[in-house]
Amino acid sequence: MTSASFLQGRRGVWYQLDTLAALTSATAAFQRALSYLGISYISLASIYHPDVSEHFIDRLLEVGVRTVGRVDDEADSDREVADWGPEQITELVRRSLVPEAQAVVVPETALHTANIGDVLDAAAGIPVLTATQVSLWDAYRLAGLPPVATSAGALFQDGTN
């Protein structure tokens, strides 16, 4: 909340940022979500350049998750993909699919995926974990609340994670 960030002055703002940084990041949220679902093999649906995707793949490998398929769409900017509709996002997911994958991972918060998780899961036939989805799921978990969301995909299925 905004007032909580400015009432404590500069020191309070930095304390809050340090605290949040120690708790989570999108990468940590992906690691925890994949672990929670018991997923060991993923396909990567990336909008990044291959060199950037490699760093993300390395972070997943640190927790035992192997990337067995991938697409690097190499978008020019996050502004470009922020204009993508559900069809373009779904097509990116479909292009990344390989039979060995247990899930598809989409690591970009600029893609508007909050209300299409179920659509992506259905199109892929396996769970699709997006940056927005895992970040929200992780925030609920860190707050000690059951993650609840409609149309958000497999990670939010039972609301008792």
Side-chain angles (χ1 to χ4, degrees), residues 2-79:
T2 305
S3 62
S5 70
F6 65 76
L7 288 176
Q8 302 299 313
R10 183 179 179 98
R11 180 176 286 153
V13 170
W14 288 109
Y15 172 77
Q16 287 178 345
L17 291 173
D18 289 344
T19 300
L20 288 172
L23 291 175
T24 195
S25 69
T27 301
F30 271 114
Q31 291 172 333
R32 287 191 276 264
L34 289 163
S35 245
Y36 174 80
L37 293 174
I39 292 170
S40 301
Y41 301 100
I42 62 105
S43 186
L44 180 65
S46 174
I47 59 100
Y48 305 124
H49 184 276
D51 292 344
V52 175
S53 295
E54 282 297 326
H55 289 284
F56 183 74
I57 289 168
D58 290 345
R59 299 299 70 78
L60 297 183
L61 195 53
E62 290 171 354
V63 294
V65 177
R66 293 178 133 359
T67 301
V68 293
R70 95 189 235 197
V71 168
D72 299 292
D73 216 48
E74 298 188 56
D76 290 329
S77 72
D78 58 351
R79 288 179 187 229

Side-chain angles (χ1 to χ4, degrees), residues 52-141:
V52 175
S53 295
E54 282 297 326
H55 289 284
F56 183 74
I57 289 168
D58 290 345
R59 299 299 70 78
L60 297 183
L61 195 53
E62 290 171 354
V63 294
V65 177
R66 293 178 133 359
T67 301
V68 293
R70 95 189 235 197
V71 168
D72 299 292
D73 216 48
E74 298 188 56
D76 290 329
S77 72
D78 58 351
R79 288 179 187 229
E80 174 190 333
V81 298
D83 289 334
W84 285 14
E87 299 81 19
Q88 285 175 285
I89 299 167
T90 302
E91 182 55 29
L92 175 68
V93 167
R94 282 190 183 121
R95 285 188 290 127
S96 76
L97 288 171
V98 295
E100 302 84 13
Q102 298 169 297
V104 175
V105 170
V106 185
E108 176 53 57
T109 55
L111 292 168
H112 298 284
T113 59
N115 63 346
I116 62 168
D118 289 346
V119 171
L120 296 174
D121 285 0
I126 55 178
V128 176
L129 303 181
T130 71
T132 300
Q133 178 194 58
V134 299
S135 295
L136 291 171
W137 173 83
D138 204 39
Y140 272 101
R141 188 191 65 75

